[in-house]
């Protein structure tokens, strides 16, 4: 009798283990199905709204091709749709070299990039935007191998934008040789401005501060984050290591004044 | 006590007055030009070779000099300082003693032509500051012309053909630039040209106070304004919409040409105009003159920040395939209302019917032989409501929710009369095949794979766009 019970206990134990294993596994299977559904709905939204510029494989070779835009100063900008398959993103809140966090991608999709004619999709349901975000991640292997870094926190000091800070910023602009690309008066016409190429070897133009808004928006916080994260894939480096936080804010004050947004 | 105070006051003021009187007399007896003339005499005596010249040099009379030119209505006193202007012995001397460069004075003797007819400046003035009139506080309308722009004066009497071969290279180059950069696309000159920019008639004789000199960095003069605004229009005129930007050298050349646009005429006896400039004949020359500033090569669409809209590619084969000459001529003649496209007909921008025909022939020279594959718009019964839903998803992000395109949108205004009046077949073909070279993508089988029925619906909806606000 004892033996039988012993054997039974073993069986019961084995059975309960199996049940447990199933119990752990089955929700995961639900997740998989959910993920697949999300990717599928993301693909649908992508095909209707994004494909014509960003292309079927997300490589930026859509049917619409290159967009040409004549700037105020007569220069013609050639705008290439972002190559999502590279897995390199310009507009992040994470340090240079990192993948963007989910919110970064959502911000770009919902706010758009007016300077490059990326429309705003604010009116889309939030689930659709999330689905597209997940679908975009399937284009690059980076998303499988890496995790996004911690986003950089932005604390705008009270003195940002005041005349003293602007003056210090002007000095930093000079010392850091920003003018070599962005021009000594911020007009994007520095001596190196005509030979700049992005990672794919396409010509890019440094930002002309006198022509309006930055691509990601010109709030002081956005300018600060651009200096801190750099624009990966372009010639714009991150100044996280070469300038301290205070100096970066001085630079923000000066560049905002160049954009005539100083307070 | 008081009496003594007033006595001293009277004494001091007397002394001051006396001092000023003496100073005034001394200044009047030794004007600026007198110094130059005595210096000139010294150099002349040194440089003179041969007995005759020696005598001439010693006889040089220091005194006020002027020439009165009745026909030109000018009094020039420049030779008070520039005394050696016709003296062959002064070729090596320094300015202002130096002889006039080149052989210009052989054919334009000073006694007959004076100085200011070519050089501008204030002929009557007797000191340098007032005569040159460059400094802003002289308030002189026509400051002396710098060497760079002096060729502009030649055009007052000579024609371009003659000047081209006789040293006025800058003038000829400037004239060519004016023809080829499409200035007349926006600026009217002698009744021909667009209306977006200022009229250029008489721009070369406008006084400097006509220009807003606030942002000019160089001399506060008309020529400096012209030159700087060719290099960076928005710097000089903050709300300028001028599109053509020139490099420094081209800006100088075009400034020379601009300064020749004088409103007054030099008297007949002086004028030597033999050939009047030929009007451009070929379609290409006309296109360069009137269209190129906006439409550039005409092969690619460009979104223009200043205009706030996309400028269409009018030489794009797929555009030419779907538009006929009659419609194109009509568009050029009447312009596109609501856009920056000017009406070019004779009583608006001054182009003759034959000239417009030549432009049309030039634009359509590469029209593909085969027309587009017919769509068969009438095969389907269109559902406007379904079309609207499709439009919202597929078209609105380029053409806008209202279909009016405009600022920040890549797509054109679909509510404009040309689109609204167009054959629906033509619209359907455009939606199906897209416009290569532009951002309009094909929505048919070759592209985004919309069904023919869906395209019909969208086109039907687009044709209702002008009905709503």
């Amino acid at each position: 009798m004892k033996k039988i019970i012993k054997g039974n206990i073993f069986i019961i134990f084995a059975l309960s283990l199996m049940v447990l294993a199933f119990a752990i596994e089955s929700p995961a299977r639900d997740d998989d199905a959910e993920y697949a559904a999300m990717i599928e709905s993301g693909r649908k939204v992508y095909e209707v709204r994004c494909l014509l510029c960003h292309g079927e494989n997300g490589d930026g070779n859509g049917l619409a091709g290159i967009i040409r835009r004549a700037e105020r100063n007569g220069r013609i900008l050639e705008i290439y749709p972002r190559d999502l398959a590279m897995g390199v993103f310009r507009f992040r809140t994470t340090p240079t070299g990192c993948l963007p966090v989910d919110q970064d991608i959502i911000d770009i999709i919902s706010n758009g990039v007016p300077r490059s004619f990326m429309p705003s999709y604010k009116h889309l349901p939030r689930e659709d935007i999330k689905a597209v975000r997940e679908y975009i991640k399937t284009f690059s292997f980076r998303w499988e191998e890496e995790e996004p870094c911690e986003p950089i926190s932005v604390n705008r000091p009270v003195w940002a934008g005041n005349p003293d800070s602007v003056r210090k910023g002007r000095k930093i602009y000079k010392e850091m040789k920003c003018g070599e690309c962005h021009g000594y008066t911020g007009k994007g016409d520095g001596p190196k401005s005509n030979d700049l190429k992005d990672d794919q070897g396409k010509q890019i133009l440094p930002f002309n501060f006198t022509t309006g808004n930055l691509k990601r928006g010109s709030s002081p916080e956005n300018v600060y984050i651009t200096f801190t994260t750099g624009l990966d894939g372009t010639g714009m480096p991150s100044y996280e290591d070469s300038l301290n936080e205070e100096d970066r804010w001085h630079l923000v004050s000066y560049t905002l004044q160049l954009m005539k947004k100083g307070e | 006590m008081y009496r003594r105070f007033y006595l001293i006051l009277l004494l001091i003021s007397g002394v001051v007055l006396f001092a000023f009187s003496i100073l005034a007399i001394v200044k009047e007896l030794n004007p600026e030009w007198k110094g130059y003339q005595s210096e000139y005499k010294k150099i002349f005596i040194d440089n003179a070779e041969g007995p005759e010249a020696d005598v001439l040099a010693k006889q040089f009379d220091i005194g006020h000099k002027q020439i009165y030119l009745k026909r030109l209505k000018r009094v020039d006193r420049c030779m008070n300082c520039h005394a050696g202007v016709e003296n062959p012995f002064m070729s090596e001397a320094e300015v202002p003693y130096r002889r006039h460069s080149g052989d210009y004075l052989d054919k334009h003797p000073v006694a007959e032509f004076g100085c200011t007819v070519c050089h501008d400046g204030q002929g009557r003035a007797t000191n340098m500051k007032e005569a040159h009139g460059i400094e802003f506080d002289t308030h002189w309308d026509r400051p002396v012309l710098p060497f760079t722009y002096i060729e502009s004066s030649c055009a007052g009497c000579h024609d371009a053909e003659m000047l081209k071969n006789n040293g006025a290279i800058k003038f000829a180059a400037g004239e060519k630039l004016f023809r080829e950069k499409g200035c007349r696309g926006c600026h009217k000159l002698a009744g021909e040209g667009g209306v977006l920019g200022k009229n250029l008639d008489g721009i070369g004789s406008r006084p400097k106070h006509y220009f807003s000199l606030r942002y000019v960095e160089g001399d506060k003069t008309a020529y400096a304004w012209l030159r700087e605004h060719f290099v960076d229009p928005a710097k000089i005129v903050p709300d300028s919409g001028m599109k053509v930007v020139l490099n420094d050298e081209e800006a100088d050349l075009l400034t020379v040409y601009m300064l020749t646009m004088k409103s007054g005429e030099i008297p007949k006896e002086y004028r030597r105009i033999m050939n009047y400039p030929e009007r451009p004949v070929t379609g290409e020359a006309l296109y360069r003159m009137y269209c190129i500033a906006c439409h550039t090569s005409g092969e690619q669409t460009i979104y223009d920040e200043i205009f706030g809209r996309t400028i269409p590619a009018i030489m794009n084969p797929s555009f030419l395939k779907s538009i006929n000459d009659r419609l194109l001529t009509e568009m050029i003649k009447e312009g596109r209302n609501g856009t920056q496209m000017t009406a070019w007909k004779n009583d608006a921008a001054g182009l003759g019917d034959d000239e417009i025909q030549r432009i049309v022939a030039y634009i359509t020279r590469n029209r593909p032989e085969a027309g587009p594959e017919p769509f068969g718009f009438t095969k389907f019964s269109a559902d406007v409501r379904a079309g609207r839903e499709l439009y919202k998803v597929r078209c609105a992000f380029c053409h806008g929710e209202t279909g009016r395109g405009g600022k920040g949108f890549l797509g054109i205004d679909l509510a404009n009369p040309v689109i609204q009046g167009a054959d629906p077949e033509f619209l359907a073909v455009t939606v199906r095949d897209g416009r290569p070279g532009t951002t309009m993508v094909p929505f048919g089988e070759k592209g985004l794979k919309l069904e023919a029925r869906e395209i019909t619906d969208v086109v039907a909806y687009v044709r209702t766009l002008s009905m709503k606000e």
Side-chain angles (χ1 to χ4, degrees), chain A residues 48 51 64 68-70 117 187, chain B residues 232 300 303 305 393 441 448:
Chain A
V48 172
L51 181 130
R68 288 177 188 77
R69 174 189 145 114
F117 302 100
K187 285 191 177 163
Chain B
D232 188 354
Q300 293 156 339
Y303 176 86
E305 190 162 290
V393 178
V441 304
L448 297 176

Side-chain angles (χ1 to χ4, degrees), chain B residues 12-63:
Chain B
I12 290 171
S13 50
V15 169
V16 169
L17 196 66
F18 182 71
F20 270 112
S21 311
I22 296 292
L23 202 71
I25 291 167
V26 169
K27 217 177 163 190
E28 202 54 36
L29 287 176
N30 293 296
E32 202 181 337
W33 53 265
K34 229 172 203 174
Y36 285 124
Q37 283 193 15
S38 45
E39 185 64 28
Y40 165 73
K41 192 172 180 179
K42 262 187 236 161
I43 301 172
F44 190 12
I45 291 170
D46 286 351
N47 287 5
E49 286 166 21
E52 273 178 46
D54 271 342
V55 173
L56 264 178
K58 280 180 187 137
Q59 276 178 353
F60 178 78
D61 180 28
I62 295 176

Side-chain angles (χ1 to χ4, degrees), chain B residues 5 60 88 91 103 195 245 251 274 308 314 316 334 381 397 427-428 449:
Chain B
F5 173 74
F60 178 78
S91 306
D103 56 356
V195 289
V245 176
M274 309 289 180
I314 50 171
N316 186 309
E334 303 297 334
S381 59
F397 52 72
L427 296 179
K449 304 211 171 14

Side-chain angles (χ1 to χ4, degrees), chain B residues 118-390:
Chain B
C118 292
H119 289 275
D120 281 346
Q122 189 175 190
R124 280 186 163 90
T126 54
N127 63 53
M128 183 179 133
K129 187 181 165 185
E130 295 291 334
H132 290 188
I134 288 177
E135 279 161 65
F136 197 66
D137 61 353
T138 56
H139 304 294
W140 182 235
D141 277 349
R142 310 194 49 78
V144 73
L145 270 180
F147 186 67
T148 328
Y149 309 125
I150 197 72
E151 284 179 17
S152 64
S153 302
C154 308
C157 304
H158 300 287
D159 52 76
E161 199 54 39
M162 179 265 167
L163 288 172
K164 213 177 348 183
N165 308 318
N166 286 282
I169 304 157
K170 283 182 180 170
F171 167 78
E175 195 259 348
K176 188 160 176 268
L177 273 178
F178 184 78
R179 268 189 285 125
E180 301 202 334
K181 291 281 180 184
C183 307
R184 271 194 164 144
C186 297
H187 297 281
K188 213 178 235 135
L189 181 65
E192 279 170 42
V195 289
L196 296 177
K198 281 235 158 77
N199 192 318
L200 296 182
D201 289 322
I203 196 83
S205 32
R206 298 263 190 216
K208 70 182 179 190
H209 303 95
Y210 169 82
F211 299 93
S212 161
L213 298 168
R214 181 171 172 193
Y215 300 108
V216 175
E217 274 173 12
D219 297 328
K220 304 283 187 191
T221 57
Y223 53 77
W225 187 96
L226 284 166
R227 186 194 177 286
E228 286 183 30
H229 111 290
F230 287 134
V231 178
D232 188 354
K235 188 186 98 188
I236 304 301
V237 186
D239 60 347
S240 170
M242 191 152 111
K243 306 174 64 57
V244 178
V245 176
L246 305 171
N247 62 33
D248 285 2
E249 191 195 348
E250 290 173 326
D252 275 339
L253 298 176
L254 205 51
T255 304
V256 169
Y257 187 62
M258 282 300 108
L259 290 172
T260 65
M261 315 277 173
K262 299 262 161 67
S263 52
E265 276 198 324
I266 303 271
K268 206 172 84 189
E269 294 86 333
Y270 286 88
R271 267 182 286 144
R272 292 287 179 275
I273 292 176
M274 309 289 180
N275 309 300
Y276 283 88
E278 275 179 36
R279 293 174 61 81
V281 231
T282 64
E284 186 180 4
L286 288 163
Y287 180 84
R288 284 182 166 279
M289 196 148 177
Y290 298 108
C291 322
I292 203 164
C294 294
H295 289 287
T296 60
S297 68
E299 277 151 16
Q300 293 156 339
T301 45
I302 295 175
Y303 176 86
D304 190 87
E305 190 162 290
I306 297 169
F307 288 177
R309 65 173 65 250
T310 300
I311 299 172
I314 50 171
M315 287 203 241
N316 186 309
S318 64
F319 169 73
L320 295 174
K321 208 153 69 170
S322 45
I323 193 165
N324 59 30
D325 284 5
R326 192 191 54 78
L327 190 55
L328 200 56
T329 311
E330 194 67 12
M331 277 187 203
I332 296 175
K333 267 191 180 171
E334 303 297 334
R336 292 278 291 262
N337 221 347
T339 77
Q340 282 85 353
M341 175 70 184
T342 311
W344 289 97
K345 60 185 173 185
N346 204 9
D347 46 3
L351 285 194
D353 285 357
D354 56 324
E355 286 174 316
I356 291 177
Q357 275 318 314
R358 263 176 262 151
I359 293 175
V360 169
Y362 175 72
I363 290 172
T364 57
R365 74 195 183 288
N366 287 332
R367 173 180 280 157
E369 296 262 320
E373 193 191 325
F375 181 85
F377 184 77
T378 45
K379 271 192 293 192
F380 307 93
S381 59
D383 180 355
V384 175
R385 197 175 287 257
R388 191 179 70 173
E389 293 309 313
L390 264 170

Side-chain angles (χ1 to χ4, degrees), chain A residues 80-249:
Chain A
Y80 296 85
R82 178 66 46 247
D83 179 354
L84 301 165
M86 290 241 301
V88 176
F89 293 85
R90 290 184 187 183
F91 306 126
R92 295 158 291 111
T93 54
T94 56
T96 178
C98 286
L99 287 173
V101 292
D102 286 355
Q103 188 57 39
D104 291 344
I105 303 181
I106 289 181
D107 282 349
I108 290 294
I109 296 173
S110 40
N111 298 336
V113 186
R115 247 182 124 76
S116 333
F117 302 100
M118 160 91 187
S120 152
Y121 287 110
K122 265 205 176 76
H123 57 279
L124 279 193
R126 207 165 159 76
E127 294 79 56
D128 280 2
I129 297 183
K130 276 187 181 162
V132 168
R133 180 194 71 203
E134 291 308 318
Y135 184 66
I136 284 171
K137 288 182 182 178
T138 63
F139 290 134
S140 168
F141 63 89
R142 271 194 84 185
W143 291 101
E144 287 163 25
E145 295 176 356
E146 293 173 44
E147 285 289 316
C149 317
E150 276 296 299
I152 291 163
S153 62
V154 184
N155 303 307
R156 180 179 169 192
V158 277
W159 44 259
N162 72 22
D164 186 50
S165 172
V166 168
R167 208 175 47 247
K168 283 180 184 155
R170 183 180 291 128
K171 219 177 118 207
I172 295 165
Y173 188 88
K174 215 170 160 186
E175 278 169 6
M176 298 308 288
K177 300 196 170 127
C178 307
E180 298 222 326
C181 295
H182 291 287
Y184 300 114
T185 50
K187 285 191 177 163
D189 56 355
K192 285 187 185 166
S193 61
N194 286 327
D195 322 314
L196 291 174
K197 296 221 160 76
D198 68 3
D199 281 3
Q200 288 143 297
K202 290 164 183 159
Q203 201 198 0
I204 47 171
L205 292 173
F207 183 62
N208 177 347
F209 288 104
T210 60
T211 52
N213 286 334
L214 278 167
K215 274 188 182 169
R216 73 190 313 176
S218 299
S219 70
E221 287 79 6
N222 279 338
V223 182
Y224 173 80
I225 208 83
T226 303
F227 291 146
T228 314
T229 64
L231 299 178
D232 285 4
T234 73
M236 174 73 186
S238 153
Y239 288 93
E240 197 179 8
D241 301 326
S242 42
L243 287 175
N244 63 34
E245 190 179 337
E246 202 182 314
D247 283 351
R248 273 177 268 148
W249 276 111

